[in-house]
Amino acid sequence: MRADLIIVGAGMVGSTLALALEHSGLDILIVDGSPLSVAPFDVQAPFEPRVSALSMASQRILERLGAWQGIATRRACPYGEMRVWDGSGTGSIHFAAASVHAETLGHIVENRVVQDALLERLHDSQIGLLPGARLEQLRRSGDDWLLTLTDGRQLRAPLLVAADGANSAVRRLAGCATREWDYLHHAIVTSVRCERAHQATAWQRFTDDGPLAFLPLAGPAGEHWCSIVWSTVPVEAERLMALDDEAFCIELSKAFESRLGKVLHADRRLCIPLRQRHAKRYVEPGLALIGDAAHTIHPLAGQGVNLGFLDAAVLAEVLLHAAERGECLSDERVLSRFERRRMPHNLAMMAAMEGFQRLFQADPLPLRLLRNVGLDLVDGQAEAKALFVRQALGLAGDLPELARA
Ligand SMILES: Cc1cc2nc3c(=O)[nH]c(=O)nc-3n(C[C@H](O)[C@H](O)[C@H](O)COP(=O)(O)OP(=O)(O)OC[C@H]3O[C@@H](n4cnc5c(N)ncnc54)[C@H](O)[C@@H]3O)c2cc1C
């Protein structure tokens, strides 16, 4: 089977790229090892443990691609405020969408919901979709890439995009170098029911072992649900995972200073080792890496997939402009335009997250004092906070058309 463009990975980021190129006239094939089926949404079903805080920029991209409707009609929780505080001091900071005249800071959405809304759109499009297609081998064949799937099928295309996630097979098989290191943190994720309402606020407490986030979910009337991301050192994560539900809820309430009252119930827990990874290059002739295949960052600011959506939107824009000018899309000079626009932005975000994480894990007293005073100081600076809010909305920097107002 041959196509102009093959996208490996129909996750949130790969699907977004395919839809952004829907009207490009390119013959596109998107392949994924999973069945790519869309289950009917059941509002009574428990929350999925994996959620994302989608920025305004991501919302705009998904709206323009016709996928936001599918999210809004399933389940999404808007939040207008964010409260961050230092668990070992008195420093705190509060951000509000209203400070930049925005309605929300973003939406907390289950990854499954985003994925299904995108897949629904893909199934309705003319884009070639190949489910159950797991990439096993990759090599150059003339001007094409030749892909061999685990069942022996072969696919070829002059342009290949890796959107196959953090452990990208494309990246490995193409020999793309990465810089990576362990955060020495695991993240425990689950959904919890709290005694008190979440107030449409994303809460984050920095504990001595790492950040603990409570993200608001749209639960049934009268119930107060949050998704939690509890990042901590591996040995502590193992201990917390081994606790029974009741003991886990007690420990969680304590670690969160019972800001939302008692944690009354916790769903199934997942424990995810956190690793920072960044490809040294996002492109080579005929190949581009996007989303987690190009970079994974600490979830403390909830930016991973937001960066991925911007990658997809910028790559689509670069390819569409190049096609208009009659350029060869697999030319490295064309693909480098995507890398030049996205790499500095992604690196800056990763560096900021790294700095935050180190500052809040620092033990020496002067650093603790500094960060507490710093938090309070910034909290009093309306302009500095407005800048941060614009970053959180994803509206800072070089935005692709799809993310602009
Ligand atoms: C604890 C935690 C919390 C997070 N919270 C947030 C948040 O609040 N906000 C945010 O923006 N981000 C968050 N992230 C990051 C976010 O989850 C990721 O950035 C996002 O899921 C990456 O999407 P992707 O499409 O690039 O990759 P993936 O979602 O990993 O998709 C990859 C796809 O490729 C397919 N695939 C893989 N290998 C092959 C192969 N060999 N052949 C064919 N197909 C293949 C898979 O089946 C899958 O469909 C969080 C991450 C973690 C760990």
Side-chain angles (χ1 to χ4, degrees), residues 8-14 31-34 36 50-54 108 111 115 133-136 149 163-170 172 187-189 215 229 272-274 290-293 295-297 299 301-308:
V8 180
M12 293 187 277
V13 174
V31 307
D32 200 289
S34 62
L36 301 182
R50 296 288 309 262
V51 306
S52 296
L54 299 185
I108 308 297
N111 288 3
Q115 180 73 71
R134 192 158 192 83
L135 175 72
E136 191 171 61
L149 306 180
D164 51 348
N167 297 311
S168 168
V170 175
R172 177 174 45 83
I188 298 177
V189 294
L215 307 171
V229 184
I272 306 167
L274 299 178
I290 59 172
D292 274 23
H295 44 75
T296 53
I297 69 169
Q303 284 301 326
V305 82
N306 290 307
L307 299 182

Side-chain angles (χ1 to χ4, degrees), residues 8 12 45 48 81 137 142 144 161 171 183 194 211 215 346:
V8 180
M12 293 187 277
E48 286 288 324
E81 296 182 40
Q137 287 172 36
D144 284 349
V161 173
R171 189 184 65 218
Y183 279 118
C194 301
L215 307 171
N346 291 338

Side-chain angles (χ1 to χ4, degrees), residues 33-187:
S34 62
L36 301 182
S37 48
V38 181
F41 181 70
D42 174 6
V43 74
Q44 310 288 342
F47 292 99
E48 286 288 324
R50 296 288 309 262
V51 306
S52 296
L54 299 185
S55 68
M56 174 69 77
S58 298
Q59 180 181 345
R60 283 185 188 158
I61 293 170
L62 294 165
E63 274 171 358
R64 298 225 160 95
L65 299 179
W68 187 257
Q69 184 66 6
I71 293 173
T73 53
R74 285 178 168 87
R75 197 157 55 187
C77 186
Y79 65 101
E81 296 182 40
M82 195 189 294
R83 292 189 178 273
V84 180
W85 72 102
D86 187 339
S88 59
T90 54
S92 67
I93 194 160
H94 168 241
F95 300 103
S99 69
V100 294
H101 310 291
E103 277 176 30
T104 65
L105 286 177
H107 288 76
I108 308 297
V109 191
E110 294 147 89
N111 288 3
R112 185 70 249 163
V113 163
V114 182
Q115 180 73 71
D116 279 359
L118 285 162
L119 281 177
E120 217 163 57
R121 275 283 291 110
L122 274 178
H123 283 295
D124 283 345
S125 75
Q126 297 299 313
I127 296 160
L129 199 55
L130 208 58
R134 192 158 192 83
L135 175 72
E136 191 171 61
Q137 287 172 36
L138 177 68
R139 68 175 173 83
R140 282 279 186 189
S141 165
D143 289 337
D144 284 349
W145 289 98
L146 182 65
L147 291 77
T148 307
L149 306 180
T150 43
D151 58 11
R153 278 179 293 175
Q154 291 200 316
L155 315 170
R156 54 168 63 235
L159 180 56
L160 178 64
V161 173
D164 51 348
N167 297 311
S168 168
V170 175
R171 189 184 65 218
R172 177 174 45 83
L173 294 168
C176 304
T178 55
R179 278 193 199 93
E180 46 189 284
W181 61 93
D182 257 323
Y183 279 118
L184 299 175
H185 259 179
H186 287 358

Side-chain angles (χ1 to χ4, degrees), residues 142-328:
D143 289 337
D144 284 349
W145 289 98
L146 182 65
L147 291 77
T148 307
L149 306 180
T150 43
D151 58 11
R153 278 179 293 175
Q154 291 200 316
L155 315 170
R156 54 168 63 235
L159 180 56
L160 178 64
V161 173
D164 51 348
N167 297 311
S168 168
V170 175
R171 189 184 65 218
R172 177 174 45 83
L173 294 168
C176 304
T178 55
R179 278 193 199 93
E180 46 189 284
W181 61 93
D182 257 323
Y183 279 118
L184 299 175
H185 259 179
H186 287 358
I188 298 177
V189 294
T190 184
S191 318
V192 300
R193 188 160 56 82
C194 301
E195 206 174 8
R196 294 209 293 265
H198 50 55
Q199 302 149 50
T201 299
W203 308 78
Q204 183 133 250
R205 176 182 188 248
F206 281 89
T207 75
D208 286 345
D209 286 341
L212 167 60
F214 271 56
L215 307 171
L217 292 173
E223 292 188 9
H224 313 304
W225 283 86
C226 286
S227 168
I228 65 136
V229 184
W230 192 349
S231 307
T232 186
V233 290
V235 58
E236 177 64 358
E238 270 168 42
R239 187 186 72 78
L240 293 169
M241 288 299 286
L243 294 177
D244 64 30
D245 287 350
E246 197 187 336
F248 180 78
C249 289
I250 292 171
E251 293 251 358
L252 181 59
S253 308
K254 207 166 74 187
F256 193 56
E257 300 170 1
S258 302
R259 288 273 173 129
L260 300 178
K262 281 189 198 140
V263 174
L264 304 170
H265 167 87
D267 276 351
R268 178 174 63 97
R269 285 162 249 163
L270 288 184
C271 183
I272 306 167
L274 299 178
R275 202 168 168 72
Q276 159 116 298
R277 208 182 268 110
H278 195 254
K280 288 187 181 166
R281 298 278 329 258
Y282 293 176
V283 299
E284 63 171 80
L287 174 66
L289 311 180
I290 59 172
D292 274 23
H295 44 75
T296 53
I297 69 169
H298 199 289
L300 78 86
Q303 284 301 326
V305 82
N306 290 307
L307 299 182
F309 285 135
L310 287 170
D311 288 351
V314 169
L315 179 58
E317 192 167 289
V318 164
L319 293 176
L320 289 168
H321 284 169
E324 270 171 26
R325 289 199 289 258
E327 293 174 302
C328 170

